[in-house]
Amino acid sequence: MKNLKPLIFSAHSELKTSHSEVQKSHLYEAFAAFCGFKSYAAFQAASIVEVDDIKLANSRCFDRMKHIGFDVNSAFLISKCIKKVWEKYDVISLEEIYTFYNEYLCEETIEEKRILETLRSFVCSDNRDATLMGIVFAQRLLTKYKEDPDNRSGEYWYKKLLANNELSSMHRLAAEEYKDILPYQDFLEFLRSKLDKSYELALPSPSIIKPICQQFDDGITRHWTHYFKYEYLEVADAFELYNEHASTTVSPALRLDWLKAQAIIDPDEWTIFEIIEQSSESVEEWFWYYWGLEHDIDVTQGNLYAINSDTGEEYDDYGPCEVAGYEGIALPEISAKEKLNAKNLIKQIESK
């Protein structure tokens, strides 16, 4: 929830010059009443705050101030001041959108339509961070919906609902849940259309890898973001899912940037192996090799093992068998000075 304290402090400073009896606690209660709550404590406990009727909100605030003991003129002045506080409070920032989608449950985020529309408006203004959030959050919610086996027939029952067919309570629930997820399917299509037309709109890379990109210049102009810290792999996976149905796809280089960020905070052999395989800089290959060694990972050593061809699980001497894993990477020849530069970069990153 947005920090109300500085707004109330400002409103109190404005009012106390002419109405010294007004306390900040009164204004907190006035704001809660404006928003439709019986107390400020109830307001604090709410996850979502909406005011649809400003006239009614003003009336609630006025009545609460009268009940507390203010005269008509004071109650009216406080209500007018609280309306201004609401207008400032009601502005949704991109930071708040990011926090909302990361902190609230899937069901709550799907039900909250205003946040989605505000995110759409940020995307329309060519905000790179907002476009990135749109792809990741839409893919997150749609993936969660599709992974639930109870939702497999949602579209079918939704069409039945539109045709005014009688549905059981279970089938009606499936139809309603499909209806709730539709705005995010539409939003993802909107994002694809937007990226198809915005040739100059480049999605941002994670700022954690900036020192690496500065050291190994690959000629790519990047924009940076501080969002999705510690969720780097989810972003890379969201790009992969997005590309399955997009005509203008997210570039492999951008997805690789997010994999590099993941390897910095939580290195594993598969991620480092993929980064080295896709790297075009010999010295950078050695950097990632050294980075792996710092975390007990040696990608020059092969990791081949048998799996069941049907299940993909480790082979247990039953069923068809195939080889999985990878052979050790052969690193290119570089000079001793270049190896030292790669090791020094590791020290630089670890010191931050």
Short mmCIF file of all heavy atoms in Angstrom, two decimals, residues 197-227:
data_model
loop_
_atom_site.label_atom_id
_atom_site.label_comp_id
_atom_site.label_asym_id
_atom_site.label_seq_id
_atom_site.Cartn_x
_atom_site.Cartn_y
_atom_site.Cartn_z
N LYS A 197 5.36 -3.00 -33.80
CA LYS A 197 5.36 -1.67 -34.41
C LYS A 197 6.48 -0.78 -33.89
O LYS A 197 6.86 0.18 -34.54
CB LYS A 197 4.01 -0.98 -34.15
CG LYS A 197 2.83 -1.72 -34.79
CD LYS A 197 1.52 -1.10 -34.35
CE LYS A 197 0.32 -1.87 -34.91
NZ LYS A 197 -0.96 -1.34 -34.41
N SER A 198 7.00 -1.08 -32.69
CA SER A 198 7.99 -0.21 -32.06
C SER A 198 9.40 -0.77 -32.29
O SER A 198 9.98 -1.41 -31.41
CB SER A 198 7.70 -0.09 -30.56
OG SER A 198 6.41 0.41 -30.35
N TYR A 199 9.92 -0.52 -33.44
CA TYR A 199 11.22 -1.09 -33.79
C TYR A 199 12.35 -0.54 -32.92
O TYR A 199 13.38 -1.18 -32.74
CB TYR A 199 11.53 -0.82 -35.26
CG TYR A 199 10.53 -1.43 -36.20
CD1 TYR A 199 9.63 -0.64 -36.90
CD2 TYR A 199 10.46 -2.81 -36.36
CE1 TYR A 199 8.70 -1.20 -37.75
CE2 TYR A 199 9.52 -3.38 -37.21
CZ TYR A 199 8.64 -2.57 -37.90
OH TYR A 199 7.72 -3.12 -38.73
N GLU A 200 12.15 0.67 -32.38
CA GLU A 200 13.22 1.29 -31.60
C GLU A 200 13.07 1.03 -30.10
O GLU A 200 13.89 1.48 -29.31
CB GLU A 200 13.24 2.80 -31.87
CG GLU A 200 13.59 3.16 -33.32
CD GLU A 200 13.64 4.65 -33.54
OE1 GLU A 200 13.39 5.39 -32.57
OE2 GLU A 200 13.93 5.08 -34.67
N LEU A 201 12.00 0.35 -29.71
CA LEU A 201 11.79 0.08 -28.30
C LEU A 201 12.55 -1.17 -27.88
O LEU A 201 12.15 -2.28 -28.17
CB LEU A 201 10.30 -0.09 -28.00
CG LEU A 201 9.93 -0.38 -26.53
CD1 LEU A 201 10.41 0.77 -25.63
CD2 LEU A 201 8.45 -0.60 -26.37
N ALA A 202 13.67 -0.95 -27.21
CA ALA A 202 14.50 -2.08 -26.76
C ALA A 202 14.18 -2.38 -25.31
O ALA A 202 14.15 -1.48 -24.47
CB ALA A 202 15.97 -1.74 -26.92
N LEU A 203 13.93 -3.64 -25.01
CA LEU A 203 13.68 -4.03 -23.63
C LEU A 203 14.98 -3.95 -22.82
O LEU A 203 16.06 -4.15 -23.36
CB LEU A 203 13.11 -5.44 -23.59
CG LEU A 203 11.71 -5.60 -24.20
CD1 LEU A 203 11.34 -7.07 -24.29
CD2 LEU A 203 10.68 -4.85 -23.37
N PRO A 204 14.87 -3.67 -21.53
CA PRO A 204 16.08 -3.45 -20.73
C PRO A 204 16.76 -4.74 -20.28
O PRO A 204 16.15 -5.80 -20.20
CB PRO A 204 15.56 -2.66 -19.52
CG PRO A 204 14.13 -3.11 -19.38
CD PRO A 204 13.63 -3.37 -20.78
N SER A 205 18.03 -4.60 -19.97
CA SER A 205 18.84 -5.67 -19.41
C SER A 205 19.04 -5.42 -17.92
O SER A 205 18.95 -4.29 -17.45
CB SER A 205 20.20 -5.74 -20.11
OG SER A 205 20.05 -6.04 -21.48
N PRO A 206 19.34 -6.46 -17.14
CA PRO A 206 19.54 -6.28 -15.70
C PRO A 206 20.83 -5.53 -15.39
O PRO A 206 21.89 -5.87 -15.92
CB PRO A 206 19.58 -7.72 -15.17
CG PRO A 206 20.02 -8.54 -16.35
CD PRO A 206 19.46 -7.88 -17.55
N SER A 207 20.74 -4.53 -14.54
CA SER A 207 21.90 -3.66 -14.28
C SER A 207 23.05 -4.40 -13.61
O SER A 207 24.19 -3.93 -13.66
CB SER A 207 21.47 -2.47 -13.41
OG SER A 207 20.87 -2.91 -12.22
N ILE A 208 22.78 -5.55 -13.01
CA ILE A 208 23.83 -6.30 -12.32
C ILE A 208 24.94 -6.76 -13.26
O ILE A 208 26.08 -6.96 -12.84
CB ILE A 208 23.21 -7.53 -11.58
CG1 ILE A 208 24.23 -8.12 -10.60
CG2 ILE A 208 22.73 -8.57 -12.56
CD1 ILE A 208 23.65 -9.23 -9.74
N ILE A 209 24.63 -6.88 -14.57
CA ILE A 209 25.66 -7.36 -15.50
C ILE A 209 26.36 -6.21 -16.23
O ILE A 209 27.16 -6.46 -17.14
CB ILE A 209 25.07 -8.34 -16.55
CG1 ILE A 209 24.10 -7.63 -17.49
CG2 ILE A 209 24.41 -9.52 -15.86
CD1 ILE A 209 23.78 -8.41 -18.74
N LYS A 210 26.08 -4.98 -15.84
CA LYS A 210 26.69 -3.83 -16.53
C LYS A 210 28.23 -3.91 -16.55
O LYS A 210 28.84 -3.67 -17.60
CB LYS A 210 26.23 -2.52 -15.89
CG LYS A 210 26.70 -1.29 -16.65
CD LYS A 210 26.28 0.00 -15.95
CE LYS A 210 24.82 0.27 -16.13
NZ LYS A 210 24.45 1.63 -15.65
N PRO A 211 28.90 -4.25 -15.45
CA PRO A 211 30.37 -4.34 -15.49
C PRO A 211 30.87 -5.37 -16.50
O PRO A 211 31.91 -5.17 -17.15
CB PRO A 211 30.75 -4.74 -14.07
CG PRO A 211 29.60 -4.33 -13.23
CD PRO A 211 28.39 -4.50 -14.08
N ILE A 212 30.14 -6.47 -16.66
CA ILE A 212 30.55 -7.51 -17.62
C ILE A 212 30.42 -7.00 -19.04
O ILE A 212 31.31 -7.19 -19.88
CB ILE A 212 29.69 -8.78 -17.41
CG1 ILE A 212 29.89 -9.32 -16.00
CG2 ILE A 212 30.04 -9.85 -18.44
CD1 ILE A 212 28.94 -10.43 -15.63
N CYS A 213 29.30 -6.32 -19.32
CA CYS A 213 29.09 -5.80 -20.67
C CYS A 213 30.08 -4.69 -21.01
O CYS A 213 30.49 -4.55 -22.16
CB CYS A 213 27.65 -5.28 -20.81
SG CYS A 213 26.40 -6.57 -20.68
N GLN A 214 30.47 -3.92 -20.00
CA GLN A 214 31.46 -2.87 -20.23
C GLN A 214 32.84 -3.47 -20.50
O GLN A 214 33.62 -2.92 -21.28
CB GLN A 214 31.50 -1.94 -19.02
CG GLN A 214 30.26 -1.08 -18.85
CD GLN A 214 30.24 -0.30 -17.54
OE1 GLN A 214 30.92 -0.67 -16.59
NE2 GLN A 214 29.46 0.76 -17.50
N GLN A 215 33.13 -4.59 -19.86
CA GLN A 215 34.42 -5.25 -20.06
C GLN A 215 34.50 -5.94 -21.40
O GLN A 215 35.52 -5.89 -22.09
CB GLN A 215 34.64 -6.28 -18.93
CG GLN A 215 35.95 -7.02 -19.00
CD GLN A 215 37.11 -6.21 -18.46
OE1 GLN A 215 36.89 -5.22 -17.77
NE2 GLN A 215 38.33 -6.58 -18.79
N PHE A 216 33.41 -6.58 -21.82
CA PHE A 216 33.38 -7.34 -23.07
C PHE A 216 32.38 -6.69 -24.02
O PHE A 216 31.22 -7.09 -24.09
CB PHE A 216 33.00 -8.80 -22.81
CG PHE A 216 33.80 -9.45 -21.72
CD1 PHE A 216 33.19 -9.83 -20.52
CD2 PHE A 216 35.16 -9.66 -21.86
CE1 PHE A 216 33.92 -10.43 -19.51
CE2 PHE A 216 35.90 -10.24 -20.85
CZ PHE A 216 35.28 -10.63 -19.67
N ASP A 217 32.81 -5.68 -24.70
CA ASP A 217 31.94 -4.91 -25.59
C ASP A 217 31.53 -5.74 -26.79
O ASP A 217 32.35 -6.13 -27.61
CB ASP A 217 32.66 -3.64 -26.05
CG ASP A 217 31.79 -2.77 -26.93
OD1 ASP A 217 30.57 -2.99 -26.95
OD2 ASP A 217 32.33 -1.86 -27.59
N ASP A 218 30.22 -6.04 -26.89
CA ASP A 218 29.73 -6.82 -28.02
C ASP A 218 29.02 -5.94 -29.06
O ASP A 218 28.38 -6.46 -29.98
CB ASP A 218 28.78 -7.92 -27.53
CG ASP A 218 27.63 -7.37 -26.68
OD1 ASP A 218 27.48 -6.13 -26.61
OD2 ASP A 218 26.89 -8.18 -26.08
N GLY A 219 29.11 -4.62 -28.89
CA GLY A 219 28.52 -3.71 -29.86
C GLY A 219 27.04 -3.48 -29.71
O GLY A 219 26.44 -2.76 -30.51
N ILE A 220 26.41 -4.05 -28.67
CA ILE A 220 24.97 -3.90 -28.45
C ILE A 220 24.71 -2.71 -27.54
O ILE A 220 25.32 -2.58 -26.48
CB ILE A 220 24.37 -5.18 -27.84
CG1 ILE A 220 24.54 -6.36 -28.78
CG2 ILE A 220 22.89 -4.97 -27.50
CD1 ILE A 220 24.07 -7.69 -28.19
N THR A 221 23.81 -1.82 -27.97
CA THR A 221 23.39 -0.71 -27.13
C THR A 221 22.31 -1.21 -26.16
O THR A 221 21.29 -1.74 -26.59
CB THR A 221 22.82 0.45 -27.97
OG1 THR A 221 23.83 0.91 -28.87
CG2 THR A 221 22.37 1.59 -27.08
N ARG A 222 22.56 -1.06 -24.88
CA ARG A 222 21.64 -1.60 -23.88
C ARG A 222 20.99 -0.50 -23.06
O ARG A 222 21.54 0.59 -22.89
CB ARG A 222 22.38 -2.55 -22.92
CG ARG A 222 22.75 -3.89 -23.54
CD ARG A 222 23.57 -4.72 -22.57
NE ARG A 222 23.76 -6.09 -23.03
CZ ARG A 222 24.71 -6.46 -23.88
NH1 ARG A 222 25.56 -5.55 -24.35
NH2 ARG A 222 24.81 -7.73 -24.25
N HIS A 223 19.80 -0.82 -22.55
CA HIS A 223 19.12 -0.01 -21.55
C HIS A 223 19.03 -0.87 -20.30
O HIS A 223 18.90 -2.09 -20.38
CB HIS A 223 17.73 0.40 -22.04
CG HIS A 223 17.76 1.11 -23.36
ND1 HIS A 223 17.98 2.47 -23.47
CD2 HIS A 223 17.64 0.64 -24.64
CE1 HIS A 223 17.97 2.81 -24.75
NE2 HIS A 223 17.77 1.73 -25.47
N TRP A 224 19.09 -0.21 -19.14
CA TRP A 224 19.24 -0.98 -17.91
C TRP A 224 18.02 -0.85 -17.01
O TRP A 224 17.32 0.16 -17.05
CB TRP A 224 20.49 -0.52 -17.14
CG TRP A 224 21.73 -0.60 -17.97
CD1 TRP A 224 22.39 0.42 -18.60
CD2 TRP A 224 22.45 -1.80 -18.31
NE1 TRP A 224 23.48 -0.06 -19.28
CE2 TRP A 224 23.53 -1.42 -19.13
CE3 TRP A 224 22.29 -3.14 -17.99
CZ2 TRP A 224 24.46 -2.32 -19.63
CZ3 TRP A 224 23.19 -4.06 -18.49
CH2 TRP A 224 24.27 -3.65 -19.30
N THR A 225 17.79 -1.87 -16.22
CA THR A 225 16.69 -1.85 -15.26
C THR A 225 17.13 -2.43 -13.93
O THR A 225 18.00 -3.32 -13.88
CB THR A 225 15.47 -2.65 -15.78
OG1 THR A 225 14.39 -2.51 -14.86
CG2 THR A 225 15.80 -4.13 -15.94
N HIS A 226 16.52 -1.92 -12.85
CA HIS A 226 16.80 -2.47 -11.51
C HIS A 226 15.68 -3.41 -11.08
O HIS A 226 15.74 -3.98 -9.98
CB HIS A 226 16.94 -1.34 -10.49
CG HIS A 226 15.67 -0.57 -10.26
ND1 HIS A 226 15.25 0.44 -11.10
CD2 HIS A 226 14.70 -0.69 -9.31
CE1 HIS A 226 14.10 0.93 -10.66
NE2 HIS A 226 13.74 0.26 -9.58
N TYR A 227 14.67 -3.58 -11.92
CA TYR A 227 13.55 -4.45 -11.56
C TYR A 227 13.91 -5.93 -11.76
O TYR A 227 14.84 -6.27 -12.48
CB TYR A 227 12.33 -4.12 -12.40
CG TYR A 227 11.71 -2.79 -12.06
CD1 TYR A 227 11.81 -1.70 -12.93
CD2 TYR A 227 11.02 -2.61 -10.86
CE1 TYR A 227 11.24 -0.47 -12.62
CE2 TYR A 227 10.46 -1.38 -10.54
CZ TYR A 227 10.57 -0.32 -11.43
OH TYR A 227 10.01 0.90 -11.11
#
